[in-house]
Amino acid sequence: MPRTRRPAHLTLCTLAATAVLALTTVTACGSSNSGAKTSGKADTSVDGGQQAQDSKDGQVIEDGGQNDSTASAASDQKGGPKGGQKNDKSGGKGGKSACTAADVKIEAQPVRSPINHMLLVATNTSKATCHAYGFPYLRFDLDQATAGVVEESKAQSVTTLAPGKSAYAAVILSAADGSAGPGREAKKLSVSFQGPNGGGSIGGQASVTPPGGAVHVDDSARVTYWTTDSAAALKW
């Protein structure tokens, strides 16, 4: 069968159409890939923005916590000293000062019984009430050490002296059986008061003349705690 020959212009049109179709396909594919890239970039931007927002939100919460903590600490610090000042004020209001040799007159009195004893009498000569803490610190002559103490005589409460009132402490001068050695004659007594914490003397010393000008003492000499009852002091 004889071939039918196509006109040249039809062939050229067919080729042109094919080329246009191919170009369109390539362009469409390029557009599709570009869109994917654009979409990916947009997703990344969104994730980054969310992370930035989350980070920002986290920072806000953290900063808020720090601010709250700082404010709380500042508030506590501000309130603390006030509370302490109130406590200190209330404690000082109800307290009394310790008795000292400057406002209390001390005398040494002889006693008939028990033997080898004398009595220290401390009279408040000031216009204010004071506390006679613990026991008197007593020295004979130039002794460096003070006399011992009768621990059993310790009172249940602090001895308080109103103006004109007296406190008492017995002094056991020597052992009745002579077991503490030959002893000696003491012609001078030095007496001082304890502070509130009993850590040492307060307010200087008072020089006291022994009964009769001298007393016989030995190494067993001891004193009792202050009390407002002379008979209670002398029972030791």
Side-chain angles (χ1 to χ4, degrees), residues 4-42:
T4 304
R5 189 172 182 175
R6 294 180 179 181
H9 69 277
L10 291 176
T11 301
L12 292 175
C13 290
T14 300
L15 292 175
T18 301
V20 170
L21 180 61
L23 181 60
T24 302
T25 301
V26 171
T27 302
C29 291
S31 300
S32 176
N33 292 338
S34 177
K37 290 181 180 180
T38 303
S39 176
K41 185 176 181 180

Side-chain angles (χ1 to χ4, degrees), residues 189-214:
L189 308 177
S190 298
V191 180
S192 57
F193 287 90
Q194 290 187 20
N197 299 322
S201 62
I202 185 173
Q205 296 182 346
S207 295
V208 180
T209 302

Side-chain angles (χ1 to χ4, degrees), residues 106-110 118-121 189 208-211:
I106 302 176
E107 298 177 300
Q109 297 180 355
M118 73 175 182
L119 187 67
L120 293 179
V121 182
L189 308 177
V208 180
T209 302

Side-chain angles (χ1 to χ4, degrees), residues 98-106 123-126 191 193 202-206:
C99 296
T100 67
D103 50 27
V104 176
K105 180 181 179 181
I106 302 176
T123 304
N124 185 358
T125 58
S126 72
V191 180
F193 287 90
I202 185 173
Q205 296 182 346

Side-chain angles (χ1 to χ4, degrees), residues 139-205:
R139 289 182 174 85
F140 298 100
D141 292 329
L142 300 178
D143 289 352
Q144 295 297 318
T146 60
V149 60
V150 181
E151 289 293 348
E152 296 82 1
S153 67
K154 187 174 183 179
Q156 296 296 322
S157 59
V158 177
T159 299
T160 302
L161 295 183
K165 298 300 181 179
S166 299
Y168 306 90
V171 182
I172 305 172
L173 296 169
S174 59
D177 57 3
S179 59
R184 58 190 171 87
E185 298 300 310
K187 298 181 179 181
K188 181 181 178 181
L189 308 177
S190 298
V191 180
S192 57
F193 287 90
Q194 290 187 20
N197 299 322
S201 62
I202 185 173
Q205 296 182 346

